[in-house]
Amino acid sequence: PKSSELVSFNQMLTKCDTVSSVLELASKQPHMDTVNVVTAIHRSTKLALQTKRTKALTQDERFVSLVRQLHKMFDEDMQAWTLTRAVGNTSWALAKLQYKDTDNKISILDVLHHNFTLYAEKFKPEELMNTVWAFAELCREGKDSSTARAVAVARAAARCASAEVVSACTTQQQVYFCWALARLADINAVRNDPNVQKGFATYKALLVTGLTGHTESLTSKHLAMLSWAISHMQKFTSAADEVEKLLQGIGEDVLRRGTSSFLPGELASILGAFSKVQLKDSPFQNALKAHIMQDGCNQYTSQDLTTIICGFINLECTDEAFFIKMADIVQRRALDFNRLERQMLKRSFARVHGFKGRLGCLDA
């Protein structure tokens, strides 16, 4: 049983409203249990994110000390609910901080991923989702050790693929779960692992079924996230028409709210998904084209413009007036595009009749 003193202390930590107050309180407490240490790490991270001072937090010796304490605590016996909470919350926090641990011979990241792979079936759906997302973010550097972690986490998550896990998530959590799986599957070694493929295909089918017809309550950001994620989950086999039905529903949500209710990047993500699954001649596609023709595109980033232009070309749009407008924008903003975006645009415009060679500005 947890002592009332430690429970009370945990409540004090959650009420702190600055990073400094969390770390000061934790550093002066003579004894903390695992839940206290995890709460201090999690709370200080959330507050650092709000103030955009995450780098300062990772360099604060009081925070590093908390991570060391937690590292040692995993050598002790823990109740299952304590362990899963510790792994889920700490993984999320360290991923948000882009934490790189070189302090221990066996890093805290190794300890967290090892415990997840051993006990994944014990994790609550939200803890499972947070851990998958965290290691998708933490393992993108391409090192062999990071790739091995990513594959191990993906295999463990794949073991848990079931209707029970997915149905226990709210609609919003299902979106984040889909995003987490897609981000992890963006790593080649994960995507190509046979032990991962079956489980992730099961997740995909369950998420598509669970979300189709239930997207009207989602924010524009969530609709964009879901579109990107589910189109990237195409790597795992399931009925193509089911994915198309979900995306058509998202397109209808956009039309119902109006394209002006969405940020350029959100519209670009949704169109990119339509392009990836080759969902052509949709009402959404036509409405977006009309919206862009009326809009000066001043708020669109180079990435937004690249995604939209390449998306329409990939969907075999043949509207010459639209491409003339897009080419004019590209020429006016040529210096904004990075090398990869330039290559993508040149390749795409070469497929449009009459535009090959007309965008020499991208060669500069």
Side-chain angles (χ1 to χ4, degrees):
K2 292 170 46 168
S3 74
S4 58
E5 181 185 343
L6 292 178
V7 172
S8 177
F9 179 69
N10 211 62
Q11 292 171 343
M12 291 170 64
L13 286 170
T14 61
K15 291 176 181 175
C16 290
D17 56 7
T18 66
V19 171
S20 181
S21 60
V22 174
L23 298 180
E24 192 67 19
L25 190 63
S27 65
K28 291 181 177 178
Q29 178 70 2
H31 174 69
M32 291 190 289
D33 65 8
T34 305
V35 173
N36 296 152
V37 174
V38 171
T39 299
I41 291 172
H42 191 264
R43 183 64 180 163
S44 58
T45 299
K46 288 187 78 171
L47 293 168
L49 287 166
Q50 290 174 13
T51 55
K52 295 181 171 56
R53 292 184 56 81
T54 53
K55 186 175 181 180
L57 177 60
T58 60
Q59 295 173 345
D60 192 306
E61 185 55 39
R62 295 169 298 179
F63 182 82
V64 175
S65 177
L66 286 170
V67 174
R68 288 179 189 146
Q69 278 183 264
L70 183 62
H71 188 283
K72 292 177 182 177
M73 286 172 165
F74 275 103
D75 291 333
E76 304 164 6
D77 287 335
M78 285 188 200
Q79 291 180 306
W81 72 268
T82 305
L83 183 144
T84 61
R85 179 177 174 179
V87 173
N89 285 2
T90 306
S91 298
W92 177 90
L94 297 185
K96 284 290 187 182
L97 296 172
Q98 299 180 315
Y99 192 82
K100 289 179 173 54
D101 182 26
T102 55
D103 186 54
N104 302 290
K105 289 182 180 179
I106 301 177
S107 79
I108 187 65
L109 301 181
D110 279 333
V111 171
L112 293 171
H113 110 260
H114 182 65
N115 277 280
F116 179 71
T117 58
L118 285 176
Y119 306 111
E121 289 85 353
K122 301 285 186 184
F123 281 59
K124 294 176 183 176
E126 186 174 5
E127 296 166 342
L128 181 70
M129 172 185 70
N130 282 341
T131 308
V132 170
W133 173 83
F135 279 95
E137 299 305 309
L138 289 164
C139 297
R140 308 197 75 77
E141 54 196 28
K143 293 181 180 177
D144 289 344
S145 57
S146 294
T147 301
R149 279 180 192 151
V151 171
V153 167
R155 286 178 176 176
R159 298 198 316 257
C160 303
S162 69
E164 184 181 8
V165 169
V166 173
S167 62
C169 298
T170 65
T171 302
Q172 182 176 315
Q173 286 174 337
Q174 287 183 4
V175 172
Y176 281 111
F177 206 164
C178 192
W179 174 269
L181 292 166
R183 288 286 286 171
L184 192 57
D186 238 12
I187 299 170
N188 285 335
V190 170
R191 181 168 65 249
N192 298 325
D193 188 280
N195 294 311
V196 172
Q197 289 169 352
K198 184 178 178 181
F200 275 40
T202 299
Y203 275 126
K204 177 188 170 187
L206 290 167
L207 287 162
V208 168
T209 300
L211 287 163
T212 300
H214 298 95
T215 55
E216 68 280 349
S217 63
L218 296 174
T219 65
S220 58
K221 174 187 174 183
H222 293 144
L223 290 176
M225 288 177 65
L226 176 58
S227 300
W228 180 90
I230 206 62
S231 67
H232 277 67
M233 290 288 278
Q234 283 291 96
K235 305 169 180 106
F236 305 103
T237 55
S238 69
D241 57 341
E242 293 178 0
V243 172
E244 289 180 6
K245 187 177 178 182
L246 173 58
L247 287 175
Q248 288 281 26
I250 291 172
E252 290 167 8
D253 284 326
V254 176
L255 298 182
R256 193 161 44 245
R257 302 179 200 190
T259 49
S260 58
S261 301
F262 289 73
L263 295 172
E266 294 166 349
L267 293 170
S269 290
I270 296 170
L271 181 72
F274 275 60
S275 170
K276 198 168 186 66
V277 303
Q278 282 293 284
L279 188 51
K280 300 175 183 176
D281 299 319
S282 66
F284 162 72
Q285 177 185 333
N286 295 327
L288 177 57
K289 186 171 60 173
H291 173 75
I292 291 172
M293 289 297 285
Q294 294 174 1
D295 189 2
C297 295
N298 293 329
Q299 302 304 313
Y300 290 56
T301 66
S302 59
Q303 182 179 355
D304 297 338
L305 289 169
T306 303
T307 302
I308 287 169
I309 294 167
C310 295
F312 273 111
I313 293 172
N314 195 41
L315 289 168
E316 299 180 358
C317 171
T318 58
D319 189 329
E320 185 178 8
F322 174 75
F323 288 123
I324 289 173
K325 180 180 178 71
M326 291 296 98
D328 287 343
I329 292 172
V330 170
Q331 287 175 324
R332 191 169 68 246
R333 295 182 51 183
L335 294 177
D336 295 344
F337 297 93
N338 63 34
R339 184 177 179 182
L340 176 60
E341 291 164 350
R342 288 166 183 264
Q343 291 173 346
M344 291 173 65
L345 288 168
K346 285 174 67 176
R347 220 169 20 238
S348 293
F349 267 113
R351 294 169 53 191
V352 182
H353 179 70
F355 280 84
K356 189 171 184 179
R358 279 181 54 183
L359 287 166
C361 59
L362 294 173
D363 295 325

